[in-house]
Amino acid sequence: MTKPTKTVAQLGARARALLFALVVTAGILNLVDRQIISVLKPIIATDLGWSDDDYGTLAAWFQGGAAFAFLFTGWIVDKLGVKWANPIGVAAWSIAAMAHGWARSMTEFVMIRVSLGATEAMGTPTGIKTIASVLPKNWRSSGFGATNAANSIGAILAPLAIPGVALLVGWRGTFVAAGALGLVWAAVWLVATRRVTFSPPRPVETDTAPLAEYGPILRNRQTWAIAVAKILSDATWWLLLFWLPDFFHRQYGLTGVALGVPLAIAYGGAAVGSLLGGGVSTRLLSLGYSVNAVRKGILLVAALCVLPIPLVLYAGNYAVTIGLMALTLAAHQAFSTNLFALIADVVPQDKLGRVTAFGSFSGNVGGMVIAKVAGLVLTAGLGYLPLFLFASVSYLLAVGWIQLLLPRLRPIEAR
């Protein structure tokens, strides 16, 4: 006899935990796939003759592909629903990751990096919408924090595991192996959700285009508060994600396996920041503090923690440099966790995918610009100081912008 289907609300704690764990694992795979090129940059650049500007160009094209795709992925996720958006998204970016193994020319790499960025853009709106569906509202902050922490774990695993895998199968085989793991994940998700019914996807209207459906959200102050905050804060995140291995290589001569320890420690800080940012906010909300006070308070504290980042250029001490980078990444993830939670606080469920995607589009625009600017700045011999000076104030500017547009946050349930 066939077992009856269940809605997410009818699932037990164990089944919900399994679905949440799969969402977390997808985030790890997403980050590992994009990190391979930065961790193996010295090896790939030597093999293919890339300059700093070439690498900056590839990073910018990746961000551009993601940014453009975010204009559509939120709409796609809202239409498909999370049951199908999850496996389709993961399978698509896994195939794009595997394609790196056969790329030879700069043109081929540009095309594949655009494809990877575009398909990975399914990850954020799908993950946010899935967490909002699976977890009770009081646990969303912790859920987003745990997800960001898991993404940081991906950033930790990448520099530790990727060089070792590359030694065994080469840098091309590393891309193929990572993509294969994603295809396995998609199969596991389909099995795990075969008798689960999520919130039904929105009906497809043949006369409605994806971009047209962004009209309503673009008239909301919440959308623009989130979008500009993402541009400013994500620019720093993407700067470090793509260029931190290169910074340690320039500053301390590290390469290959030797990069694993400092990068793992730095991204370990990011994991801690995610858990603290989500856990502290959940605790404060349960004690009765307002959403407005909790979200903005944590955003401000996180922004202040990024201010010292230019000191890494003058620390003269390996441990201090790693500590400051870990603090910066922890602050970013605490900031990001509460910014995503803020979206779920103030945006209706039927618009959540699109607002999240538009915010991520904006963040990737910031990443695209900073990636290319970083390549040009370093090629010009200006070093990392101009880049880190911008990073030090980017989060404070984001907090100020949110306060300007949303002087008081009002949760959607209270309207």
Side-chain angles (χ1 to χ4, degrees):
M1 181 176 177
T2 304
K3 293 183 179 180
T5 60
K6 292 183 178 180
T7 65
V8 174
Q10 294 173 323
L11 293 177
R14 183 176 296 180
R16 285 174 180 254
L18 173 61
L19 296 180
F20 178 70
L22 285 171
V23 174
V24 167
T25 308
I28 293 175
L29 292 173
N30 187 299
L31 196 136
V32 168
D33 286 349
R34 76 178 62 149
Q35 273 288 81
I36 293 173
I37 197 168
S38 62
V39 174
L40 299 181
K41 173 183 176 284
I43 298 172
I44 302 174
T46 299
D47 189 16
L48 300 180
W50 292 348
S51 66
D52 286 330
D53 188 39
D54 290 332
Y55 177 70
T57 297
L58 284 174
W61 274 109
F62 171 87
Q63 296 299 141
F68 180 75
F70 271 123
L71 294 175
F72 299 89
T73 55
W75 177 82
I76 292 171
V77 172
D78 282 342
K79 292 288 187 180
L80 289 177
V82 297
K83 184 169 185 173
W84 293 106
N86 273 290
I88 289 172
V90 174
W93 80 59
S94 297
I95 292 170
M98 295 175 76
H100 287 71
W102 290 273
R104 300 285 176 180
S105 67
M106 177 60 68
T107 299
E108 290 172 344
F109 262 97
V110 166
M111 293 173 62
I112 291 171
R113 292 306 288 178
V114 169
S115 299
L116 182 64
T119 50
E120 285 197 347
M122 284 285 288
T124 300
T126 304
I128 297 298
K129 195 174 181 74
T130 305
I131 291 172
S133 299
V134 171
L135 297 182
K137 64 180 182 180
N138 289 341
W139 285 93
R140 287 175 186 167
S141 295
S142 294
F144 295 139
T147 304
N148 272 347
N151 292 344
S152 300
I153 290 172
I156 294 169
L157 293 175
L160 291 175
I162 288 171
V165 175
L167 287 175
L168 293 175
V169 299
W171 65 263
R172 296 183 183 277
T174 303
F175 281 107
V176 175
L181 286 176
L183 295 179
V184 171
W185 185 99
V188 171
W189 172 271
L190 290 173
V191 172
T193 61
R194 66 190 184 281
R195 294 189 182 94
V196 180
T197 301
F198 293 82
S199 299
R202 300 167 63 231
V204 177
E205 301 171 13
T206 56
D207 60 345
T208 303
L211 291 179
E213 293 207 4
Y214 278 88
I217 70 167
L218 295 181
R219 292 191 289 269
N220 295 336
R221 295 168 67 88
Q222 293 92 335
T223 300
W224 291 106
I226 292 160
V228 175
K230 289 288 287 180
I231 289 174
L232 292 166
S233 59
D234 280 15
T236 294
W237 170 253
W238 289 112
L239 171 68
L240 296 181
L241 198 67
F242 282 119
W243 292 95
L244 192 56
D246 180 75
F247 168 76
F248 280 118
H249 175 66
R250 291 171 187 261
Q251 198 81 349
Y252 296 103
L254 304 180
T255 188
V257 177
L259 281 168
V261 172
L263 292 176
I265 294 173
Y267 284 106
V272 171
S274 296
L275 294 174
L276 284 176
V280 170
S281 62
T282 295
R283 178 60 177 164
L284 291 175
L285 289 170
S286 69
L287 291 174
Y289 290 93
S290 70
V291 167
N292 185 72
V294 171
R295 298 289 180 233
K296 291 181 180 176
I298 294 178
L299 292 178
L300 178 59
V301 170
L304 293 172
C305 288
V306 182
L307 277 174
I309 188 174
L311 297 179
V312 298
L313 297 169
Y314 308 102
N317 183 289
Y318 183 60
V320 173
T321 299
I322 296 174
L324 287 171
M325 284 298 185
L327 176 64
T328 298
L329 291 172
H332 170 84
Q333 290 293 60
F335 191 99
S336 179
T337 294
N338 280 273
L339 188 56
F340 277 125
L342 186 154
I343 298 174
D345 289 332
V346 302
V347 176
Q349 176 71 16
D350 64 336
K351 297 179 181 177
L352 191 58
R354 280 166 291 160
V355 174
T356 301
F358 188 74
S360 297
F361 157 77
S362 303
N364 276 268
V365 168
M368 178 176 63
V369 172
I370 200 69
K372 183 59 178 177
V373 168
L376 293 173
V377 167
L378 294 172
T379 299
L382 300 177
Y384 278 95
L385 181 58
L387 301 171
F388 288 164
L389 286 173
F390 162 77
S392 69
V393 299
S394 58
Y395 295 84
L396 283 174
L397 292 173
V399 172
W401 177 256
I402 290 173
Q403 179 61 28
L404 180 64
L405 264 67
L406 302 175
R408 184 163 187 81
L409 300 177
R410 294 189 299 139
I412 192 66
E413 293 88 353
R415 296 178 192 174

